[in-house]
Amino acid sequence: MSRSKVSLSIKPVSGKNKSAFLVTGRCHDADAQKRFGFKTDKVRVRKNSESEAMQLIAEIENFVLAREVRSRLRSTSLDEAQLRDAEVALQLLPKGISLTQIARKFVVSDRGDFDEDPINKWIDAFRTEKEEIEQRRPKTVSNLLWRINQFINYSNVETLGDFSRESAARFLTRSHAKTGKKLSAQTMQNDWLALHSFGGYLVKVKAVANNPLQEIGRAQVEWKPPAIHNASEVAALLKASLQDVYSAGKYTPYFVICCFCGVRPEAEAPYLRMKDVTLAKSLSLSELRVTRQKVTTAKQRSVPLNAAAWRWLQYCQKQEWEIAVPTKNAYIRIRLAAGLLGSWSGDIMRHTYATMTLANGANKRDLAEWMGNSPRQIENSYMNLAKYEKSAARKWLNIKPPQ
């Protein structure tokens, strides 16, 4: 918004009975003057409180700003995504070349003659597409670019014409650089997805006629059930945390929210605090809030506390423990004391929560919402749930803190 159109300030004034606040200044927008009842561009309005005065200024500024935005969009039928796309395209064009000239070139030749273009030029455009237009997460974009650059270096791809089915197939079937062993199916699948995404972008902008990865089959990853802890192992882990000499139990809340609430141990648990936990007298009203600033998925969520989480978090609250992530040495020490040093994967506590919660009769859609996943992810990841009886889930829920 142009600052010359609206310039307002608040001045406190004293009356006979009570103080008031005066909104003074200039508003040069004719529609705003009509909307708020100003006879001229001079503004002088008395309000009973400072909050009312601030609200009036905000309403005037927002009205003028909205008019400016509408005036910019009035002459085009493009939606917001198309406008962002056009803006990015204009920034990428060299001086003296218009967007219309580039479009005409595509229309005449059906696709640009880009085979001799440096591949890095298109990688930069691909990055811009993902970051600014699709607004993908930085970590996702970084991973895509890393895999594409691995392909370029391995296959000696210099120009767009070198990006072919043969060069992509050679890269996907390569051996490990250090061990010489065949790459895992998961690595091959991730590489294929990155190159397929890049090839799809090139087809979209008509830099190539066909996506080379369409002709190459996607590697199939053999499904493996996630490793989980049984009830006795979870109990041993919490006992080891309580009895750890050096930490004196202060890491117990961390293990509780990971094992009984399904919080991501590395991405979410470090940012949570006891103030995010609601411990009501009724179990149905108790929950753990994973807010938008602390969540790794698109939506914030609330995780209802089960009986075990409710009991343990009440115990931790009485001890005045805050949620704290164990140090590397403490992590190893506690797992060693619990006899779990060898059988451990990054999300094993989260997998345990999902498996036991579903085995206890929870709906997969509800669990997906509590864990920040999709129902399909829950179904695909926890196919081994049928192996777990309800009695095993009950033992997990009956793990109790010391009296």
Side-chain angles (χ1 to χ4, degrees):
M1 181 182 67
S2 175
R3 292 186 176 274
S4 61
K5 285 193 174 183
V6 179
S7 177
L8 301 172
S9 61
I10 301 173
K11 294 181 181 179
V13 294
S14 299
K16 292 182 179 180
N17 300 323
K18 59 180 181 178
S19 60
F21 293 86
L22 198 64
V23 178
T24 63
R26 300 280 181 176
C27 176
H28 299 289
D29 188 278
D31 287 338
Q33 293 171 16
K34 185 177 179 180
R35 165 69 174 77
F36 292 96
F38 304 144
K39 294 181 179 180
T40 64
D41 63 349
K42 188 175 181 180
V43 178
R44 188 177 179 85
V45 181
R46 189 186 185 96
K47 291 292 181 180
N48 293 328
S49 66
E50 187 177 9
S51 61
E52 290 180 3
M54 292 176 66
Q55 184 178 355
L56 176 62
I57 292 177
E59 288 177 359
I60 296 171
E61 290 180 344
N62 289 338
F63 180 82
V64 175
L65 179 61
R67 284 196 67 254
E68 287 186 357
V69 172
R70 284 197 298 270
S71 67
R72 292 194 195 109
L73 299 178
R74 192 171 294 144
S75 59
T76 178
S77 59
L78 300 178
D79 58 28
E80 187 178 350
Q82 290 171 325
L83 285 170
R84 278 205 309 269
D85 192 8
E87 184 178 3
V88 172
L90 288 170
Q91 293 173 357
L92 294 173
L93 289 176
K95 291 183 178 179
I97 302 296
S98 70
L99 203 56
T100 306
Q101 289 174 311
I102 295 295
R104 283 174 179 162
K105 182 178 179 181
F106 274 109
V107 171
V108 171
S109 60
D110 186 48
R111 57 179 287 265
D113 186 16
F114 295 126
D115 283 355
E116 299 303 317
D117 275 6
I119 192 74
N120 289 328
K121 166 188 169 183
W122 290 99
I123 292 175
D124 291 339
F126 175 70
R127 179 198 289 114
T128 303
E129 168 88 6
K130 295 297 177 184
E131 290 179 343
E132 299 185 19
I133 298 175
E134 295 184 12
Q135 297 182 344
R136 302 287 291 275
R137 292 169 56 193
K139 188 175 180 180
T140 302
V141 178
S142 175
N143 184 270
L144 286 172
L145 294 175
W146 180 80
R147 294 183 183 280
I148 293 169
N149 283 318
Q150 288 278 311
F151 159 67
I152 289 170
N153 294 332
Y154 180 85
S155 301
N156 296 319
V157 176
E158 296 181 355
T159 65
L160 201 56
D162 296 332
F163 181 36
S164 62
R165 178 187 180 281
E166 291 73 22
S167 61
R170 191 164 56 250
F171 171 71
L172 294 173
T173 56
R174 72 194 186 282
S175 301
H176 195 281
K178 292 183 179 179
T179 63
K181 296 181 179 179
K182 185 180 178 181
L183 295 177
S184 67
Q186 185 66 62
T187 301
M188 292 172 64
Q189 185 183 77
N190 293 340
D191 289 340
W192 184 92
L193 289 170
L195 293 179
H196 185 270
S197 179
F198 181 53
Y201 166 74
L202 294 176
V203 171
K204 174 184 172 183
V205 297
K206 295 189 177 180
V208 297
N210 300 301
N211 186 347
L213 273 296
Q214 288 292 96
E215 305 172 28
I216 303 175
R218 176 176 171 178
Q220 297 300 317
V221 180
E222 182 183 355
W223 181 84
K224 293 181 180 179
I228 67 168
H229 290 318
N230 57 37
S232 60
E233 289 173 335
V234 174
L237 179 67
L238 294 172
K239 183 180 179 180
S241 176
L242 288 171
Q243 296 179 350
D244 184 54
V245 177
Y246 296 98
S247 62
K250 72 174 184 179
Y251 297 128
T252 304
Y254 168 83
F255 290 109
V256 169
I257 64 172
C258 290
C259 289
F260 294 123
C261 300
V263 172
R264 292 176 173 87
E266 296 180 2
E268 292 173 345
Y271 307 102
L272 294 173
R273 297 293 178 264
M274 287 299 286
K275 66 181 181 181
D276 297 315
V277 179
T278 300
L279 286 171
K281 291 183 179 180
S282 171
L283 179 61
S284 61
L285 299 177
S286 302
E287 63 180 14
L288 170 66
R289 296 177 304 281
V290 186
T291 60
R292 189 174 298 279
Q293 290 78 17
K294 301 166 186 175
V295 74
T296 63
T297 45
K299 294 168 63 178
Q300 61 186 11
R301 66 184 193 273
S302 294
V303 184
L305 300 186
N306 54 43
W310 185 66
R311 287 192 296 263
W312 275 93
L313 287 172
Q314 278 189 327
Y315 175 79
C316 294
Q317 193 178 61
K318 289 178 182 177
Q319 304 299 320
E320 297 183 351
W321 287 332
E322 185 53 85
I323 298 173
V325 180
T327 62
K328 184 178 180 180
N329 288 339
Y331 221 158
I332 295 173
R333 194 171 59 241
I334 292 169
R335 285 162 49 194
L336 182 63
L340 300 172
L341 190 59
S343 57
W344 196 274
S345 62
D347 278 341
I348 192 167
M349 295 183 286
R350 180 173 162 85
H351 296 325
T352 300
Y353 167 78
T355 302
M356 295 300 184
T357 303
L358 279 172
N360 202 45
N363 184 289
K364 68 180 181 182
R365 288 190 174 276
D366 291 337
L367 181 62
E369 185 177 343
W370 301 337
M371 295 185 68
N373 283 341
S374 67
R376 178 175 290 182
Q377 282 178 300
I378 296 296
E379 189 174 353
N380 291 342
S381 299
Y382 304 106
M383 297 284 287
N384 62 333
L385 296 176
K387 299 178 183 179
Y388 278 85
E389 299 177 357
K390 201 167 184 177
S391 58
R394 285 202 191 100
K395 290 180 181 178
W396 173 75
L397 280 176
N398 287 330
I399 300 173
K400 297 179 181 178
Q403 297 297 326

